[in-house]
Every structure is written in structure tokens, then in C-alpha cells.
Amino acid sequence: MKTILFIIITFFAIHNPAYCNAQQGSKTENPLAITITTSFDQPNESSKLSGSIDIFQTYSNSQITFNSSEVNFTNLDPTMKRKITIPSEISYLKINYSVDGKISSYYLNPTRIYRVEAGDVFECKFFKDSLLFYGPDAAKMNIQSKIFDVPNRAHLKKQLSQSDPAYFDTEISKYEDKFQEQIALLAHYKKELSEELYDYLYFQCLGLKHYRCVSLITVSRALGPNLGARAVDYYNQKLKHTIIRYSDAANEASYFTDFLFRKEKMEYELEFNKAGFNKTDANLLLDRISNGYKGLTREKLLITAMIDLPKSYNDADAYLEQRDSLTSKHSPYQEILEQIRLAFTPNTNAYDFSLLDSSGRSHRLNDFKGKVVLMDFWFTGCRGCAILNKMMTPVFDHFKNNKKVVFISVSIDSNREIWLKSLKEEVYTHTNSINLLSDKERQLIKYYNITSYPTLLLINSEGKLITKKPPFPTDEASRKDLIRLVEMGFQ
């Protein structure tokens, strides 16, 4: 018997404290909320079912986490009911589900981002490798599922070796075939979709096709100079000058705006030969984006850029200080940008975290007032995190007798036992670091929109942010820069 998980998700409209019974199925003027009920039909009593429903005000593959919420569920409570607030009338829903700790590729599919509206009423039926919707608003959810399924079906075209002269043409043609199949489905169901949902799905499909094309080039560049040179030549000759038309509705489609950003970033870095960490001149790329696009699509691209670029550009944060109006007055992205500005702006109060160490003792940022705090973020299995730990050794040694400097290492491991084992091995952390484990809600991680690892964060002796992007000590020059920044923190 297949594993079945029933989740009844009821979405209501905004503005009134009361909410209706899900079975009424009518759109109302009530506050937007979700009611979840779960029941199980397990293949055997020992099966462990778990998952989460993530809801976003806006979504990006760069993991914009502003104003998001999460509901977790397991089979430990078969009658669980929850109600959570939806951040906006139009929201985006992502579902994760696992059986005995294993998540099937169906739920790992990153394209499966559902657009939902205030007032929607539907029931989800979860199988291990499929998902079905029932209820008043089920049709549009099932249509989205069908369209999301297309890119992940096996392709009939033969897989060519990367050395084959036709490799890039063949791969690109696969993406085009999948896109045309999705568009055919959209045309078939057009009468059943609102104009807004149709536009969202169209730009998601178009964005995914081009996102895969750009990803093919960037991945190929990383696989060696010969393949990389061929990839760049192919892009310049056949892809670079493709005209991409869009309406302002395109800003909702995460794959479309993520494609545009990756395209602009790749072309900029190819033109100016930018590579690695500790890069500069992010303002030139940000100005290209700002001047090259318009409307809400421009604003979504700038927000995506402001979350992504500080990971590798030392001067990306400064752009927010130099530009006063990156969004229009009543933009839905204005609050997100202000949150980014607050989290990134130097000399603002750093987030006052409260996290536990290996002995269960709580540590807060305020505990370290009067000391400069250099934080690093990592997880078990992160190669770059292990490399950074080695690179940091001379920095640790430089400050080993300085009681005004504290090194705090924060792991995002979800399994405490794995984290404790990693601490003993000292692959990712230093002996003299204070080792803390992120809370389950990852509030600190979300506040600073940390989406790649390792990440460094520097806070001065007054508890104010120095920078969210101190230089990685990759060589002697950058090591001296990092040490100088730390020393500036208690001046």
C-alpha cells in the first residue's frame, strides 16, 4: 500500500480577524491564514514521515528569505492542526516531504514553486513520489504540478560526451524541447487559469529554459579550460544576443529573474575577467542591472543581486549606502530592500543571537560587548568550510593572546550528533573558537540572508556590524586586510 499523507491547506483572504470553515470554499475578506490537518496511511508502523511547507512573500533561487514562514509535520501527531499567517495576497509555496529520512527527486525538484492566492481552498494528498490536489481550488494547483513535472522527465535524445562537437547544441535543444512541451500544456489549460497565473507560469517556463542554458555555460567553465573556452565561444556566438522580451509580470517568476541576474553576472565577469572571492567593482554590475531593466523586474533583480553579490564581492554592500532609491515608493520590494540595507550596513547594531554550545550553555552577542567578534558559518561536509578553517590558522595565531578578539563558529547542521562529531575532528573549526549550533528556525541565518558557505561576519566591540563580507585570507595580502579590519574593530 502506498504511503499517503493528507494535508488540507486552506488559504483565506486578508483584513478580518475571523476565518471561515475550509469546506465553504468561498473567497472572503478575512485574514490570510493556512489551516493544516494531517492523517496517514503508513505501509508499516515503523515508517517515519516528515516534511515541511515553506511559504514566501517572494522567492528566488538565491534564497530570498524575507517574510517567510515554515510549518513542519510528522506522523507522531496524526491529528495535528496548525494555522499560520500568509505574508501577502500572492504568496509562493514549496513543499518538502520524506519517508524514513529519504526525499524523492519529486520533492527535490527546485522548479516546484506554487503560486497561491488569498482565499484559496484545497487539499493536498501526498504520495512518496507524487502529489495530488483536491477541493475548490485544486485545478490550478494540479495544472502547476503538471507543468513543473515536464523538465524532469527522461529525455529521448542521446546523451553526448562533453568532447563531442555537437554537445552544446544537443543540450540546448533538450531545454528547448521541454520548454515547448510546457508551453503546449499552458495553451491547453489557458482557459482554466487567471491571466496572472498564466503569466507567472509562462515566465517560469521561459526563465527555466534560459536559466539552464546559462548554467550549462557556467558549469562547463568550471570543468576545465578547454571545455570552458568552448562554452564561452558557444555562448557568444549563439546565446548572448538572444532578445528576451518580458512584461512587468515577469518579476513574480523566480526562474526568470534568476536567469536574468545570472546572465548579467556571467557576462560582466567574462568581460572584466572577474573570478574567485574578494572581488571588487560590484557597483559596475549593479549599475548595469539598474540601467538595463525597468519596473518591478528591475527591482527584483537588484534585490537578488544584493543578496548574491556580497558572497564574493567585498564592495557590494556599499552600493546600498550610495543609492537612496532602488525601489519605487509603493514597491512590494521596498521593505525587503530596507531589511537587506539594515542587515548589511556597517555601524548598525548586529543581530543579538542566542545560541547553544556543545554543553548546552546559551551564548548571546551581548555577552561579548567590549570584544571584536569574528563569526564563521559552516556545515559538515562543506569542502570550502574546511579549506577556510585552514586558511584562518595564521589569523587565529595572530590573535591567540589578544583577549579583545573572539572567534565564534556557527554550524547549520540539523543533526546535533553529527555536529558534535565534527567538533571533535576539528576539520571545520579551531580549538580556540566558541562553537555554537544554529537554532532550528535559523533566525540569525535568515536575518543576514546567508545562503552560501563558508561565510564570515565581523562585529566591533560595541556590537555593531563592521562588515558581512570580510576578506577570506586566501593569500598574504588578503590575510593582512582581514587582520587590519579586526584590529579596527576595537579602536
Side-chain angles (χ1 to χ4, degrees):
M1 183 181 296
K2 290 185 176 180
T3 301
I4 303 176
L5 168 63
F6 297 97
I7 297 187
I8 302 172
I9 307 180
T10 310
F11 293 82
F12 304 92
I14 295 179
H15 303 312
N16 191 316
Y19 67 95
C20 301
N21 189 294
Q23 294 180 349
Q24 292 177 351
S26 60
K27 309 276 182 184
T28 71
E29 296 262 327
N30 297 331
L32 190 58
I34 304 175
T35 300
I36 302 174
T37 304
T38 63
S39 62
F40 300 87
D41 184 7
Q42 296 177 242
N44 58 71
E45 292 183 1
S46 63
S47 291
K48 295 180 180 179
L49 313 179
S50 63
S52 65
I53 295 176
D54 300 324
I55 299 163
F56 308 89
Q57 179 176 332
T58 186
Y59 185 81
S60 166
N61 292 300
S62 295
Q63 298 181 38
I64 297 174
T65 58
F66 176 81
N67 214 356
S68 63
S69 56
E70 178 181 347
V71 173
N72 296 294
F73 51 86
T74 71
N75 58 341
L76 297 177
D77 184 1
T79 60
M80 181 195 74
K81 288 187 179 182
R82 292 201 190 171
K83 184 179 72 171
I84 59 173
T85 302
I86 303 302
S88 55
E89 284 205 48
I90 302 299
S91 297
Y92 303 91
L93 184 148
K94 184 179 181 182
I95 298 170
N96 307 291
Y97 177 56
S98 65
V99 178
D100 295 328
K102 296 181 180 179
I103 304 175
S104 73
S105 58
Y106 181 88
Y107 290 95
L108 290 172
N109 176 2
T111 65
R112 200 174 297 284
I113 306 298
Y114 296 90
R115 184 186 189 272
V116 294
E117 301 174 71
D120 283 355
V121 178
F122 51 83
E123 173 188 337
C124 300
K125 182 180 285 189
F126 285 74
F127 298 85
K128 182 178 179 181
D129 298 309
S130 62
L131 175 64
L132 292 174
F133 296 91
Y134 300 89
D137 296 297
K140 68 177 185 180
M141 302 300 290
N142 284 320
I143 291 170
Q144 291 184 74
S145 261
K146 289 179 182 179
I147 291 169
F148 298 152
D149 287 344
V150 171
N152 295 285
R153 295 185 196 136
H155 206 288
L156 297 177
K157 287 187 178 179
K158 183 180 178 181
Q159 182 70 40
L160 295 181
S161 166
Q162 292 172 339
S163 61
D164 193 298
Y167 171 69
F168 290 105
D169 275 324
T170 302
E171 291 301 303
I172 297 297
S173 69
K174 291 179 183 179
Y175 307 151
E176 180 64 30
D177 290 348
K178 295 293 186 182
F179 172 67
Q180 293 301 331
E181 190 177 344
Q182 287 181 307
I183 294 305
L185 268 176
L186 258 181
H188 178 75
Y189 289 113
K190 187 172 184 178
K191 293 182 179 179
E192 300 180 44
L193 300 171
S194 67
E195 182 179 350
E196 293 78 11
L197 180 54
Y198 178 89
D199 287 345
Y200 168 73
L201 290 171
Y202 173 79
F203 284 113
Q204 273 290 75
C205 297
L206 180 63
L208 176 62
K209 179 185 77 168
H210 289 297
Y211 185 91
R212 286 183 159 188
C213 292
V214 173
S215 295
L216 176 66
I217 304 304
T218 55
V219 169
S220 297
R221 289 182 64 209
L223 294 178
N226 293 333
L227 183 63
R230 285 176 53 212
V232 172
D233 287 343
Y234 184 90
Y235 181 81
N236 288 333
Q237 293 174 25
K238 297 192 175 184
L239 300 177
K240 183 175 182 178
H241 302 293
T242 302
I243 297 175
I244 310 294
R245 302 188 187 281
Y246 67 94
S247 68
D248 213 31
N251 81 93
E252 287 192 32
S254 57
Y255 264 102
F256 189 78
T257 51
D258 284 338
F259 146 65
L260 291 177
F261 171 68
R262 291 196 73 173
K263 171 182 180 294
E264 294 296 334
K265 181 181 178 183
M266 183 180 75
E267 290 180 1
Y268 171 76
E269 293 187 342
L270 284 172
E271 181 179 349
F272 293 98
N273 194 30
K274 301 284 186 180
F277 292 99
N278 302 329
K279 296 191 287 283
T280 57
D281 298 324
N283 61 304
L284 299 179
L285 173 54
L286 285 158
D287 277 340
R288 280 169 64 143
I289 293 172
S290 183
N291 297 329
Y293 296 89
K294 60 184 181 180
L296 292 177
T297 299
R298 167 188 171 275
E299 295 179 10
K300 177 75 173 291
L301 283 172
L302 286 172
I303 287 171
T304 303
M306 289 311 306
I307 289 174
D308 179 272
L309 293 180
K311 302 170 189 174
S312 54
Y313 283 81
N314 286 340
D315 58 357
D317 300 348
Y319 196 80
L320 288 175
E321 300 176 62
Q322 300 161 4
R323 308 296 191 275
D324 292 329
S325 55
L326 294 183
T327 63
S328 54
K329 187 174 181 180
H330 300 292
S331 168
Y333 298 120
Q334 186 176 30
E335 195 175 354
I336 299 175
L337 188 67
E338 286 307 308
Q339 176 66 53
I340 296 172
R341 191 192 300 272
L342 179 64
F344 286 179
T345 302
N347 210 36
T348 55
N349 289 332
Y351 184 83
D352 186 20
F353 59 83
S354 178
L355 301 174
L356 302 179
D357 63 20
S358 58
S359 64
R361 179 189 171 193
S362 177
H363 296 263
R364 301 184 66 98
L365 176 61
N366 280 339
D367 298 340
F368 305 101
K369 276 287 183 70
K371 299 181 179 182
V372 176
V373 177
L374 181 59
M375 303 181 72
D376 72 276
F377 299 83
W378 62 279
F379 63 89
T380 299
C382 169
R383 272 184 59 190
C385 303
I387 293 171
L388 175 62
N389 187 48
K390 289 183 178 179
M391 291 192 299
M392 286 290 295
T393 299
V395 181
F396 291 134
D397 291 343
H398 182 87
F399 292 106
K400 65 182 179 181
N401 296 319
N402 191 328
K403 294 183 179 181
K404 292 184 178 181
V405 179
V406 175
F407 296 95
I408 298 179
S409 191
V410 180
S411 170
I412 63 163
D413 284 345
S414 56
N415 188 308
R416 178 178 169 81
E417 296 306 316
I418 291 177
W419 170 60
L420 292 174
K421 181 180 179 183
S422 293
L423 294 184
K424 291 179 180 178
E425 294 171 350
E426 295 186 1
V427 174
Y428 309 98
T429 62
H430 190 267
T431 307
N432 295 326
S433 293
I434 296 173
N435 293 295
L436 305 177
L437 185 63
S438 174
D439 58 308
K440 291 183 179 180
E441 291 77 21
R442 297 192 176 178
Q443 295 174 342
L444 173 62
I445 307 299
K446 289 182 178 181
Y447 184 85
Y448 288 110
N449 261 298
I450 298 172
T451 58
S452 65
Y453 300 87
T455 287
L456 291 174
L457 190 71
L458 186 59
I459 300 167
N460 72 15
S461 57
E462 296 178 352
K464 296 182 182 296
L465 181 70
I466 296 177
T467 176
K468 184 177 175 279
K469 188 59 189 177
F472 279 18
T474 54
D475 53 30
E476 184 176 356
S478 57
R479 186 163 55 249
K480 288 181 178 178
D481 287 341
L482 177 58
I483 289 172
R484 183 165 59 251
L485 265 178
V486 172
E487 290 173 339
M488 287 172 57
F490 44 77
Q491 290 178 356

